[in-house]
Amino acid sequence: MSYSLLTEPWIPVRQGSKFQSLGLLQLFQSWDSISDVCAANPPRQIALYRFLIAIVHSAIRGPATPADYKALWKNQQLTDQVCEYLNRWEDRFDLLHPEYPFLQDAKIPKKIKQTPIGKAVYQDANTPIIWFKPNETPWLALPDATQELLRMQSLELGGKKGDSVTAGPGRWTQGRHVFPISSTLQETCLLNLIGYEATDIDRPVWEQSSPYGTGERHPAGYLDWLTYCERRILLKVEGDKATHLRLASGWKPPKECGFTHDQHQAFRISKDKTWNPLPFNPNLIDPKNPRMNPQKQLWDDSEAILHTIENSNQRPRIFDWLDNTRKLKNPQIVRVLGFAHAGGTQSAKAVHWADDFLSVPETILEDPDAWVWVKDAIIIARLFGKIFAGKVFQYAPKPSGSKEAFSRGEQDTIKAQLPSLQAALYSYIGQQFPKLILDLADVEQAEARLQEWQFQLKNYSRELVSLLITALPDYRSKAIAESMFNIAIHKIISEKAREDVA
């Protein structure tokens, strides 16, 4: 029994307006005409991108230098080289191989009980549902099972994974993953390669003789990091369906490995002087930390994702490599995929994922002075977000002879609407930001465009205030609310002006 990932159609792709599934050989033979891989959700998409990057790096064992990298773009034999490599390791890309099933441990202890695959892969009724498989369909088709294997080895949630196994979250379940993309899958793969000097000990999982184990282990290098197996898994397959799996904890990389090896995530240094992926927890509300709000969007993270402003931030290193090799497009389209769990003891609870695109001008990535304009635009956006926070009531004028500006009922009505209005403002900012960043790259018009941005957000904020006022019961409360928000908007603009002077 065999299921060869080289020939069986299991990777979803888009060719223009046509969608289909391909095996690895057909994918690489036609990657110059494939628009992109198109997984069903961001965690699968992240896993597929990194898997294909690992294959190309493994096939060429490089590029070791910028000159090698530039030569790849003109290499007419690259497709043949990748396909020859896959054929050389054909047995290791068989999902059902008796000794080396793809990304599975054939020697997993018999004492580990089988778990229905739906229970192991999808969320149950006691956790927030992001993806869900109904109980009446207790199996996965082999293409889906293969994609889930890729995801589970790096983007799996923590918690109880079977009748007796508890595991921590995967190494890529927090933060955003940044992938420069192009019009073809071939160019996208090349854009995401980095300078890599091969060593004898650094091999992808399918080249290793004993790739599975338990305990903490340092990756041997970048290929090992990309294909590192954090779970020991063995599928049970009946016909063309995977019905159960046996699952146990696998290797665990030390915490600092991400910063050492990863090229596609932004990192931020913590108070204990360790580097961690830029957090992506948009559903966690922390009033003491305005950067952790429930409407957190790409524009608010772009300061660290695209440009290093302070020594405490490290943008994805893929940008530095592309900048040095002059393979950045102008503007460069970037796909930013996010996946996050609740963290701590709640690591089994997925809270959010995102799939965003930005067209980033070369100037923004290369010139610190040009980035200052974008940084100011982000600050202005954050300041306007404060208008729809609870502290806005401090700006409410108190009418003569009245102890309070609003009755308790009126205040409750306003408070109930603030989160929705703030979400609407952040959504509007998210829609406008991609064009804004292109405009601000033109230094000659940047200052005027920034002033226009402030005026734009002021007008939109007033539109939102008008919607809120309609819910208030009388002219008195409407007039006080309008005055309160106008004062808040004025204070926001004044605060930005003081920062500019300073």
Side-chain angles (χ1 to χ4, degrees), residues 134-368:
N135 291 331
E136 60 268 21
T137 312
W139 49 264
L140 287 181
L142 294 186
D144 284 315
T146 307
Q147 292 177 59
E148 286 299 328
L149 272 176
L150 277 174
R151 181 195 62 79
M152 291 175 74
Q153 293 293 9
S154 55
L155 289 134
E156 177 68 315
L157 296 167
K160 196 168 184 179
K161 297 299 165 190
D163 294 332
S164 60
V165 176
T166 300
R171 63 194 181 281
W172 293 332
T173 53
Q174 290 285 49
R176 297 186 192 261
H177 303 254
V178 178
F179 300 97
I181 63 170
S182 189
S183 57
T184 69
L185 182 59
Q186 180 180 21
E187 289 193 356
T188 294
C189 286
L190 291 178
L191 281 170
N192 285 279
L193 300 183
I194 53 99
Y196 170 72
E197 190 166 351
T199 64
D200 291 339
I201 61 171
D202 182 26
R203 300 178 180 181
V205 63
W206 49 81
E207 292 186 24
Q208 298 175 29
S209 57
S210 300
Y212 307 102
T214 58
E216 190 171 275
R217 179 177 73 82
H218 279 270
Y222 189 50
L223 299 183
D224 191 15
W225 167 256
L226 286 173
T227 61
Y228 190 98
C229 288
E230 299 178 60
R231 303 284 188 263
R232 289 178 295 155
I233 301 171
L234 186 61
L235 295 176
K236 178 184 177 183
V237 174
E238 296 179 359
D240 60 352
K241 301 178 180 65
T243 60
H244 295 73
L245 57 77
R246 286 157 55 203
L247 184 148
S249 294
W251 298 119
K252 181 180 179 182
K255 187 176 181 181
E256 68 275 10
C257 283
F259 182 70
T260 304
H261 293 289
D262 207 274
Q263 305 293 321
H264 297 275
Q265 283 190 292
F267 287 82
R268 177 171 296 158
I269 198 165
S270 61
K271 292 181 180 178
D272 62 359
K273 303 303 180 182
T274 59
W275 288 90
N276 302 303
L278 181 74
F280 175 43
N281 296 311
N283 283 10
L284 299 182
I285 301 174
D286 183 357
K288 296 180 180 179
N289 184 354
R291 292 189 60 77
M292 298 280 282
N293 59 63
Q295 288 83 30
K296 188 73 172 291
Q297 294 190 1
L298 176 60
W299 62 266
D300 200 13
D301 276 341
S302 61
E303 181 179 344
I305 288 176
L306 299 179
H307 202 89
T308 301
I309 299 299
E310 302 169 350
N311 292 331
S312 60
N313 290 339
Q314 170 63 56
R315 71 178 180 182
R317 291 182 179 88
I318 188 65
F319 290 132
D320 300 324
W321 168 256
L322 291 175
D323 189 16
N324 291 335
T325 57
R326 299 189 178 277
K327 275 301 174 184
L328 280 167
K329 298 178 182 298
N330 191 22
Q332 175 61 59
I333 300 174
V334 176
R335 188 170 186 179
V336 186
L337 296 150
F339 179 47
H341 58 78
T345 59
Q346 302 296 309
S347 64
K349 294 185 178 181
V351 294
H352 196 73
W353 65 36
D355 188 352
D356 298 305
F357 291 87
L358 272 181
S359 294
V360 186
E362 188 177 15
T363 308
I364 296 298
L365 291 171
E366 294 181 341
D367 186 353

Side-chain angles (χ1 to χ4, degrees), residues 267-475:
F267 287 82
R268 177 171 296 158
I269 198 165
S270 61
K271 292 181 180 178
D272 62 359
K273 303 303 180 182
T274 59
W275 288 90
N276 302 303
L278 181 74
F280 175 43
N281 296 311
N283 283 10
L284 299 182
I285 301 174
D286 183 357
K288 296 180 180 179
N289 184 354
R291 292 189 60 77
M292 298 280 282
N293 59 63
Q295 288 83 30
K296 188 73 172 291
Q297 294 190 1
L298 176 60
W299 62 266
D300 200 13
D301 276 341
S302 61
E303 181 179 344
I305 288 176
L306 299 179
H307 202 89
T308 301
I309 299 299
E310 302 169 350
N311 292 331
S312 60
N313 290 339
Q314 170 63 56
R315 71 178 180 182
R317 291 182 179 88
I318 188 65
F319 290 132
D320 300 324
W321 168 256
L322 291 175
D323 189 16
N324 291 335
T325 57
R326 299 189 178 277
K327 275 301 174 184
L328 280 167
K329 298 178 182 298
N330 191 22
Q332 175 61 59
I333 300 174
V334 176
R335 188 170 186 179
V336 186
L337 296 150
F339 179 47
H341 58 78
T345 59
Q346 302 296 309
S347 64
K349 294 185 178 181
V351 294
H352 196 73
W353 65 36
D355 188 352
D356 298 305
F357 291 87
L358 272 181
S359 294
V360 186
E362 188 177 15
T363 308
I364 296 298
L365 291 171
E366 294 181 341
D367 186 353
D369 293 332
W371 179 258
V372 169
W373 299 110
V374 181
K375 182 183 178 183
D376 279 352
I378 295 170
I379 291 171
I380 290 170
R382 290 175 185 162
L383 288 173
F384 274 93
K386 292 181 181 179
I387 292 169
F388 301 105
K391 290 183 179 180
V392 72
F393 288 101
Q394 67 182 302
Y395 302 120
K398 293 184 179 180
S400 177
S402 174
K403 293 183 178 180
E404 297 294 338
F406 300 104
S407 68
R408 178 173 295 182
E410 291 165 348
Q411 192 171 102
D412 288 345
T413 297
I414 295 171
K415 282 183 178 180
Q417 293 192 65
L418 290 179
S420 297
L421 296 179
Q422 190 183 60
L425 175 65
Y426 286 163
S427 178
Y428 175 77
I429 292 169
Q431 293 168 12
Q432 301 298 316
F433 194 74
K435 183 179 185 306
L436 175 68
I437 201 172
L438 292 173
D439 292 343
L440 293 175
D442 183 348
V443 179
E444 292 184 0
Q445 68 160 337
E447 185 173 3
R449 183 65 180 91
L450 196 65
Q451 292 174 353
E452 181 187 338
W453 175 240
Q454 181 171 288
F455 184 75
Q456 194 176 341
L457 294 186
K458 180 177 72 174
N459 285 344
Y460 191 75
S461 296
R462 283 177 170 163
E463 288 180 24
L464 294 175
V465 170
S466 297
L467 292 174
L468 180 149
I469 289 173
T470 60
L472 295 175
D474 53 47
Y475 288 108

